């Protein structure tokens, strides 16, 4: 038997954002992608950053929010500058539990590019907030099993494939809504 972690659906849920966008200087009227986790190599955040130039060729109305801290932050910030995508990426750093839940609510699409995850609580948290998910199809990641009608898998470390999967959701508001609803449905068994 596989016994999953649980999640408190009274805590992780849809809620009003208050002044979240203003406090973190996030543009409002764009499609927001979110990553939550440690800024460590196995999280493969560089794959998400490298996908941004590909995404903005088709959809310039996006913004990436990166929540978390770690020793790779300055390296990732340099990559953002090198690719010239500063205005599309915000590092929120370590945030309070309350702000983390608001970040899930503020995003339109949750992305987990990790190469290794024991389970990936952040995916469950994003699902509980009704978000479609895009997860790396990595051999060492159990998170890929959460993609079930509520998002897409992409080839691990393949930023072009990630951009392609993200673009499908950006282009289709109805699909985002449908997959977000499927996340809410799927998460019920983890309460």
């Amino acid at each position: 038997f596989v016994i999953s972690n649980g999640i408190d659906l009274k805590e992780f849920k849809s809620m009003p954002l208050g002044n979240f966008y203003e406090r973190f200087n996030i543009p409002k009227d764009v499609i927001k992608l979110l990553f939550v986790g440690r800024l460590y190599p196995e999280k493969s955040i560089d794959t998400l950053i490298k996908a941004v130039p590909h995404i903005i060729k088709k959809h310039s109305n996006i913004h990436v929010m990166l929540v978390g801290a770690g020793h790779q932050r300055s390296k990732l910030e340099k990559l953002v500058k090198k690719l010239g995508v500063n205005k599309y990426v915000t590092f929120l750093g370590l945030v309070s539990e309350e702000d983390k839940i608001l970040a899930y609510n503020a995003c339109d699409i949750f992305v987990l590019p990790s190469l290794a995850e024991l389970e990936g609580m952040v995916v469950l948290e994003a699902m509980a907030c009704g978000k479609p998910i895009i997860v790396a199809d990595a051999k060492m990641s159990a998170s890929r099993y959460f993609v079930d009608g509520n998002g897409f898998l992409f080839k691990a470390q393949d930023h072009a494939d990630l951009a392609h999967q993200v673009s499908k959701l950006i282009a289709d508001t109805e699909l985002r809504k449908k997959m977000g609803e499927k996340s809410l449905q799927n998460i019920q068994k983890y309460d």
Side-chain angles (χ1 to χ4, degrees):
F1 291 100
V2 174
I3 300 171
S4 174
N5 284 303
I7 188 159
D8 187 353
L9 296 184
K10 285 188 218 68
E11 189 183 349
F12 288 90
K13 60 185 184 201
S14 293
M15 60 176 57
L17 295 174
N19 65 349
F20 180 85
Y21 294 136
E22 292 77 14
R23 285 189 297 124
F24 290 101
N25 204 14
I26 307 288
K28 280 185 187 170
D29 306 320
V30 296
I31 302 287
K32 286 166 276 306
L33 312 180
L34 174 67
F35 165 85
V36 176
R38 294 174 297 122
L39 307 183
Y40 277 53
E42 68 275 14
K43 298 293 183 183
S44 195
I45 304 141
D46 61 318
T47 304
L48 174 55
I49 294 169
K50 287 173 188 168
V52 175
H54 294 279
I55 298 166
I56 59 178
K57 277 181 198 158
K58 282 186 187 165
H59 310 279
S60 59
N61 62 327
I62 66 136
H63 199 81
V64 177
M65 302 184 291
L66 302 172
V67 170
H71 70 275
Q72 277 214 308
R73 177 159 175 169
S74 66
K75 188 178 175 182
L76 294 168
E77 284 174 333
K78 282 183 189 127
L79 179 61
V80 167
K81 278 194 185 81
K82 188 179 143 197
L83 296 174
V85 293
N86 305 47
K87 72 175 197 170
Y88 297 99
V89 180
T90 301
F91 289 83
L92 284 74
L94 270 182
V95 298
S96 67
E97 195 64 15
E98 188 186 340
D99 277 337
K100 180 173 77 165
I101 298 169
L102 289 175
Y104 287 122
N105 277 279
C107 83
D108 298 285
I109 301 165
F110 180 77
V111 181
L112 188 69
S114 294
L115 303 174
E117 287 290 338
L118 295 175
E119 182 171 47
M121 290 302 293
V122 291
V123 181
L124 292 174
E125 292 167 358
M127 287 167 62
C129 295
K131 301 303 168 180
I133 58 174
I134 296 186
V135 176
D137 192 6
K139 281 188 186 75
M140 301 285 288
S141 174
S143 292
R144 60 197 164 132
Y145 298 111
F146 292 128
V147 179
D148 177 16
N150 61 337
F152 297 116
L153 290 170
F154 73 94
K155 291 184 204 95
Q157 292 183 299
D158 185 335
H159 55 269
D161 190 40
L162 172 55
H164 175 65
Q165 302 307 329
V166 167
S167 293
K168 287 197 282 194
L169 279 175
I170 292 171
D172 193 338
T173 311
E174 200 47 48
L175 185 61
R176 277 201 314 276
K177 187 171 176 274
K178 208 171 80 183
M179 288 185 159
E181 285 164 4
K182 185 72 171 138
S183 276
L184 282 176
Q185 196 183 321
N186 294 356
I187 198 67
Q188 296 309 311
K189 60 178 178 252
Y190 297 97
D191 193 1

